[in-house]
Amino acid sequence: NSKPFYFVYGGTQDNNSMGGPSRTTSMNGISNYDWFITQGGDGFWSAIDPTDPNIVYSEYQHGGLTRFDRKSGEATAIQPLEGSGEPGLRWNWDSPLIISPHSHTRLYFAANRLFRSDDRGDSWRAISPDLTRQLDRNQLKVMGRIWSIDAVAKNASTSFFGNIVALDESRKAEGLLYVGTDDGLIQVSEDGGGAWRKQASFPGVPDMTYVSDLQASKHDAGVVYAAFDNHKMGDFKPYLLKSTDRGRTWTSIAGDLPARGSVYALAEDHVDPQLLFAGTEFGVFFTIDGGKKWTQLKGGMPVIAVRDLAIQERENDLVVATFGRGFYVLDDYTPLRRATPALLEQEAVLFPLDDRIWMYHASQPLGLPEKAFQGDSFFTAPNPPYGAVFTYYLKDELKTRKKARLATEKETVETGGDVSYPSWEALREEQREEEPAIVLTVADEEGNVVRRLTAPAEAGLHRVAWDLRFPPANPVQLKAVELSIFADRPRGPMVAPATYTVTLGKLVDGKLTPLAEPQSFTPKPLGLAVLPAADTAAELDFQRKTARLQRAVLGAAQAAGEAQVRIDHIKKALLETPDADPKLGEEVRAIEARLRDLDVALNGDPVRTRYNEPVPAAIVDRVQTVVGGHWAASSGATASHRESYRIASQEFGPVLERLRKLIEEDLEGLESKLEAAGAPWTPGRVPRWTAE
């Protein structure tokens, strides 16, 4: 429950128990540096104090439990031991550990007996007898026979057999405890360990099947879920059961889970008891009807063994641990609660947004995004998308006329019919049609449009992130331009903290039609700056004023560049025009000289730059200095920023007027003379022609 971003903890075989943030404010993402070791050895269960996230309990093999202080980095060994004269405890390689939902200082930790501590592990007491079948593993057949004590690596690097491997306490009834064993038992205590009730057989589950998970319901004190794993016996069926009477009777909820794929973990949604998640050998699945129908979660989730699941209830995130030493997070899975068959029959749905939309400016501790200069030896994982994440559903794809025709033709062919040949007019309409698009429109409280985002138009669930900024004022580019890693990406000013509304619409043949009910959301500042702006409204006004100047300045620089292209074409065209007056060459070169002087005012002196001499700041430099130096910080604009804006705006006015006269009057006048002389076409003019 760390704030503002929660942490993820887990264990890795041969590679320690560890923890790290679910996201960072760094443009480098989540890197090696952000993760830390809580316990050495083989890593296993971790439990985190829900009220103080600095207290972390983690373990290594055979119950080596420690209490780790994240703030100091110190670790205290707290593993319970057998009493004097008692037999040795049989710990699993991965011994189950939980913090009671009724007291953040109460721990439960299990070997073949269950232990309880009420003081964070400083002292322990056993609250159960041996809860296993108490079988001698050396009398059990392996590969068809009992082996000699001198067999190679006999019992080495394995769990002791006959121990507790699954554990939970009901959050609805204090003292209602469930334990599952590696030899196929589920034991239940309804009085905190005073008495235990044993269940040894389960419908459809082979005898002595490993109890891979137990989850007491978050909604009903009578409900508990159990998963069983029998893959060590060559049985890969999904065994997933539910009891509504505290473990007395059980029914299968495996539903239509794939017939091959052991179930290792289960999680129940804390809002909707019908929404369950199952981690299997081949990925993670969810159900919205309590287990009748299951659907695999994909969206970048690989087909891999999912060994553990956890729900971060504050954020409504599903966190997945895989056998491939990886953590995966499904951010804000709340749309799954609403994904009913009736909803999926609607044309389109725009889902409510997460309450925690944080506003901050990403840092660059390594100087550049992602790996920066670190190379491939440096690992970094991407952060979740920054800003407001919009989730929407489309029942059907928005097809172009051509796609719709091809789909119809395919269906006709499959049913044995003849394809109708389209008319030329229909083909012309296909060729001229704009690609349909989904448009997400963000508006402020007064209804003013802040941003429009185009989004995928294919059928299914989609997510699009808005970066909480106004659109960039940079000139429009029809094709994506590959920028240097050192270049700043175009961006607009960040909006003010307020309530905004997003609307989902479809853009077809140039007409924008609403598709779903709008959703409101309120981004919140993270408040990380030591010297924040005193008046955020005034700062935004200055940024938007700068954006208006930036739009004009960058547009003028682009127009000057295009004018130079026109001049280059004119000079070549004059050589190809026998009837051209030679004075036109002098005229075009005079215009070009003026244009280059204007370019120096806008972009700086290229001659001095070429020879590495100091160059006075040009108009574009001054504007971009304000944009790059102020729009990525929460602090106020400096006096230097405001002075740069003043100088740029003062110098730009006369330059813009001279540029407008040069392009709209002088250059166009010259092009008219070229047309009269019969010059080949050049950019910027429409040829004249009359029939003889």
Side-chain angles (χ1 to χ4, degrees), residues 23 330-332 335 349-354 357 384-394 437-442 451-458 460-469 501-505 519 521:
R23 76 182 300 163
L330 175 59
D331 301 303
D332 184 25
V349 179
L350 181 61
F351 292 95
L353 277 76
D354 187 358
I357 301 172
Y386 172 81
V389 178
F390 306 132
T391 304
Y392 65 95
Y393 165 78
L394 297 178
I438 291 295
V439 178
L440 291 155
T441 303
V442 181
R451 192 75 180 267
R452 290 189 182 92
L453 303 170
T454 56
E458 292 81 19
L461 275 168
H462 301 279
R463 277 187 160 161
V464 175
W466 171 46
D467 63 0
L468 307 180
R469 291 182 179 272
T501 301
V502 60
T503 305
L504 182 74
Q519 298 291 343
F521 59 99

Side-chain angles (χ1 to χ4, degrees), residues 1-64:
N1 286 328
S2 297
K3 294 181 179 179
F5 311 134
Y6 66 88
F7 280 54
V8 174
Y9 294 86
T12 52
Q13 177 74 32
D14 290 328
N15 204 33
N16 312 305
S17 289
M18 59 184 68
S22 60
R23 76 182 300 163
T24 69
T25 59
S26 167
M27 293 182 72
N28 303 116
I30 308 166
S31 71
N32 311 54
Y33 176 81
D34 300 305
W35 282 74
F36 49 89
I37 304 301
T38 62
Q39 173 66 280
D42 292 333
F44 293 110
W45 285 46
S46 295
I48 298 83
D49 190 313
T51 64
D52 185 354
N54 286 311
I55 300 300
V56 180
Y57 303 92
S58 58
E59 59 176 286
Y60 57 92
Q61 60 266 47
H62 290 150

Side-chain angles (χ1 to χ4, degrees), residues 401 422-433:
R401 289 177 174 85
S423 68
W424 298 119
E425 184 61 32
L427 290 174
R428 191 174 294 114
E429 288 181 354
E430 286 183 8
Q431 188 181 57
R432 296 178 179 180
E433 182 183 18

Side-chain angles (χ1 to χ4, degrees), residues 575-588:
L575 296 175
E576 304 292 334
T577 309
D579 294 337
D581 188 336
K583 291 183 179 180
L584 293 179
E586 298 175 10
E587 187 175 341
V588 70

